[in-house]
Amino acid sequence: GVLTMLMNGWTVVLGGPTPHWRVLGVLVALGLFAWPMVVLCIAVGGRSTLYRPDLMFATVCRTMPGYVTTILLFGVTLGIEAVIQSGGLPWAKSPAAARGAVTPGFSVRQFLLVTGLHVYMDIVRMRLIGLYYYHCKARFAWSWE
């Protein structure tokens, strides 16, 4: 499914199947896991909070159910975005691709749909971070208030 599509994309970027794609996959997974906390720290506490990874780790441990839920919902939004951007849904395909062209032409409709979807999914992801903060801020390892 989507995971296979993403892995195949990485092997193409790396120039073919190499042992390095696994390392890249682990680093991307760690980045996606840390991204909500990093965004939250910058948004609420400024860049100075990034110098305290011990507090970020303690916060993630104290709020594990909420953080894992946030990560899973992030994955859902990224999966939806990946499927639609890959042309996995018929209404998102360009007219040339719908006719079976090997190299589909540019479609303004597809561009607008994908761009609008990306902006909307970013808003959803930011709302997820906000909801995580709203519900779990009492258990954070530091206070911004």
Side-chain angles (χ1 to χ4, degrees):
V2 173
L3 185 60
T4 305
M5 180 180 61
L6 291 174
M7 290 297 188
N8 288 339
W10 287 338
T11 58
V12 170
V13 168
L14 293 175
T18 66
H20 304 295
W21 72 270
R22 287 188 179 98
V23 174
L24 179 63
V26 168
L27 291 175
V28 168
L30 287 173
L32 288 174
F33 185 78
W35 188 70
M37 183 57 69
V38 169
V39 169
L40 182 63
C41 286
I42 291 172
V44 179
R47 283 181 280 167
S48 63
T49 56
L50 293 178
Y51 300 124
R52 297 296 309 267
D54 58 324
L55 293 179
M56 291 191 306
F57 182 73
T59 298
V60 169
C61 289
R62 288 180 182 182
T63 61
M64 189 60 76
Y67 197 74
V68 168
T69 302
T70 302
I71 295 296
L72 291 175
L73 291 172
F74 263 61
V76 169
T77 63
L78 290 172
I80 290 170
E81 200 171 347
V83 167
I84 292 176
Q85 284 183 355
S86 70
L89 297 178
W91 56 267
K93 290 184 180 181
S94 68
R99 290 190 301 271
V102 177
T103 54
F106 178 76
S107 167
V108 173
R109 179 182 58 172
Q110 182 179 10
F111 173 76
L112 292 175
L113 284 172
V114 168
T115 302
L117 175 77
H118 180 70
V119 169
Y120 179 74
M121 288 299 180
D122 279 345
I123 291 169
V124 169
R125 288 187 278 267
M126 294 304 119
R127 294 287 301 192
L128 286 171
I129 292 172
L131 287 171
Y132 165 70
Y133 176 67
Y134 178 76
H135 289 286
C136 299
K137 66 183 173 184
R139 290 179 275 166
F140 273 35
W142 65 89
S143 175
W144 285 308
E145 296 178 2

